[in-house]
Amino acid sequence: VPDATRGRRSRRFDRWRSARPFPGNWLMLPPVPAPGDALELEELARDRARVLLDRYGVLFRRLLERELPDLRWSALFRTLRLLELAGEVVAGVFFSGVPGLQFASHAAVRRLVDGLPEDRVWWLNATDPASPCALGLEGLDPDLPRRVPGNHLVFHGSQLVMISERRGRRLSLRVAPDHPRLSGYLKVLEAMLTRPVRPMKAVTVETVNDEPAATSPYRAAFAERFHVTRSAQGLRLSRRY
């Protein structure tokens, strides 16, 4: 009996080990030594500021509240001032409704001067660094969803045209059912079905603009892009082959 028990345990361990995504030998690396002097610390802070400028383009206090302690406003404000004096960044007011000083890279200033392409359709997750969700700034859309992974925003240029919450279960569409670009706005739902990592088998839409999805006038638009079936919860959108 003890031998049989050991055999079952060994088989269970082998199954667990074979299911691990990264096989091999693992070991803990020694900690990275901290910078030794003030010059090294300042250069490290400049590198962090440059990373944030590449990520956001424009930096301000409220934006950096979500970052790690070493990437927050209080840790990098002096460094940003030094970069401004060196001519690497520009300080000013680039967006109204943002309290306090703002710093921008020269590339971001050029982009703001040239203007954004208003005919481009694009979408992002609510937790994306570029997402306006949970910023709480004056002038932002009051109906922005919570900053959680299951929510998405769809923009046509600078106009918010669609909000998807709870992985598509709740949709808010700000265009008519016969809008000529509506099919493109729904591509965010298609991405959930076709993404290379853990794609969903189907997206279940329960409500559209707070109305039951099964009787929604947007159902025909869904059918143009997906295989649509009715379920107890609403409309089940699956990949069309």
Side-chain angles (χ1 to χ4, degrees):
V1 175
D3 291 341
T5 302
R6 284 195 297 270
R8 286 196 298 271
R9 290 177 179 174
S10 177
R11 287 193 296 272
R12 286 198 297 266
F13 176 77
D14 290 341
R15 285 198 299 270
W16 174 86
R17 185 171 56 184
S18 63
R20 296 303 87 197
F22 303 109
N25 297 321
W26 294 81
L27 71 159
M28 183 178 294
L29 296 174
V32 178
D37 55 34
L39 185 60
E40 290 183 3
L41 286 171
E42 180 57 35
E43 191 58 39
L44 180 59
R46 292 190 178 209
D47 289 340
R48 290 167 175 163
R50 293 180 182 116
V51 167
L52 292 174
L53 287 165
D54 287 342
R55 179 186 300 172
Y56 296 111
V58 179
L59 303 180
F60 49 89
R61 180 186 295 273
R62 188 74 62 83
L63 182 66
L64 301 185
E65 287 179 353
R66 300 190 295 252
E67 297 292 344
L68 296 172
D70 289 337
L71 300 177
R72 291 177 185 165
W73 185 260
S74 58
L76 295 179
F77 178 77
R78 177 181 175 275
T79 299
L80 289 168
R81 274 298 197 188
L82 292 175
L83 291 175
E84 178 197 2
L85 292 174
E88 192 168 335
V89 301
V90 181
V93 178
F94 305 99
F95 295 102
S96 60
V98 176
L101 190 63
Q102 303 166 36
F103 293 94
S105 65
H106 290 283
V109 173
R110 288 193 297 269
R111 176 64 63 86
L112 292 174
V113 171
D114 295 340
L116 300 176
E118 286 297 321
D119 197 46
R120 180 174 297 175
V121 176
W122 54 283
W123 58 269
L124 74 167
N125 191 281
T127 60
D128 191 279
S131 168
C133 297
L135 279 180
L137 295 174
E138 178 185 347
L140 290 181
D141 195 313
D143 296 326
L144 288 174
R146 293 191 305 131
R147 195 178 182 86
V148 294
N151 294 342
H152 296 81
L153 309 173
V154 181
F155 290 85
H156 189 161
S158 58
Q159 186 72 28
L160 179 62
V161 294
M162 175 176 158
I163 298 174
S164 169
E165 298 179 78
R166 299 169 54 210
R167 294 178 173 84
R169 292 186 178 275
R170 184 173 185 265
L171 299 181
S172 299
L173 286 158
R174 300 185 173 187
V175 297
D178 59 349
H179 192 280
R181 301 294 295 272
L182 178 56
S183 179
Y185 303 159
L186 298 176
K187 191 172 182 179
V188 61
L189 304 179
E190 184 179 23
M192 299 181 191
L193 304 174
T194 59
R195 61 194 180 195
V197 179
R198 299 179 64 184
M200 297 173 61
K201 293 182 178 179
V203 174
T204 300
V205 182
E206 297 178 356
T207 63
V208 180
N209 295 343
D210 296 324
E211 299 291 338
T215 57
S216 172
Y218 293 89
R219 179 170 181 171
F222 297 148
E224 291 180 4
R225 196 169 194 105
F226 306 96
H227 178 66
V228 180
T229 56
R230 189 164 179 170
S231 67
Q233 292 78 24
L235 295 179
R236 189 174 187 271
L237 311 183
S238 55
R239 186 176 178 181
R240 173 177 285 180
Y241 294 93

